[in-house]
Amino acid sequence: MISNSTLKVSVNNMDKIVKIELAKKALLFIFVLIATFSLFMLFGSYFISELSSIFSTSTSFILVFVMIIFAIVVKYIGDIIIVALDRDRLNEKKLVSD
């Protein structure tokens, strides 16, 4: 039988997992949105001459690549943290059942 304290620990870990998943998705959305905006600015600077003076090509390339790298890092670090919390939850559940 599962004790009340073990149930609270499982719920707390699930709350942490949900918060981390939500933060991960929000950060991914922000990084992809910034990368997409700067990519549109890059392509727009070739067709609209006023944009090239505001937003240089090298700056937009750097911004796109940095945002893509940040998005990849956030995704994998978030997945690693979620797996670690889930593993801890399963270990606690296994210890209680023994």
Side-chain angles (χ1 to χ4, degrees):
M1 177 158 209
I2 298 176
S3 68
N4 194 19
S5 63
T6 307
L7 188 60
K8 286 181 184 178
V9 170
S10 290
V11 169
N12 286 338
N13 279 344
M14 290 302 289
D15 287 342
K16 288 179 186 177
I17 290 173
V18 169
K19 288 177 185 176
I20 291 171
E21 189 71 32
L22 185 64
K24 182 180 83 167
K25 288 183 189 233
L27 284 173
L28 285 173
F29 176 74
I30 290 168
F31 290 149
V32 169
L33 188 66
I34 292 171
T36 305
F37 178 72
S38 58
L39 197 60
F40 284 144
M41 291 294 286
L42 173 69
F43 289 137
S45 67
Y46 288 114
F47 300 112
I48 302 171
S49 62
E50 291 85 27
L51 285 179
S52 63
S53 62
I54 297 171
F55 205 67
S56 70
T57 305
S58 63
T59 305
S60 61
F61 275 130
I62 290 170
L63 191 59
V64 168
F65 288 126
V66 166
M67 289 300 118
I68 289 171
I69 289 170
F70 280 167
I72 292 169
V73 167
V74 164
K75 186 208 180 313
Y76 285 113
I77 288 178
D79 288 344
I80 289 169
I81 292 171
I82 289 170
V83 167
L85 286 173
D86 198 35
R87 187 190 65 208
D88 290 343
R89 183 179 59 88
L90 290 176
N91 285 341
E92 290 170 2
K93 192 182 263 188
K94 184 178 176 183
L95 288 174
V96 170
S97 64
D98 288 342

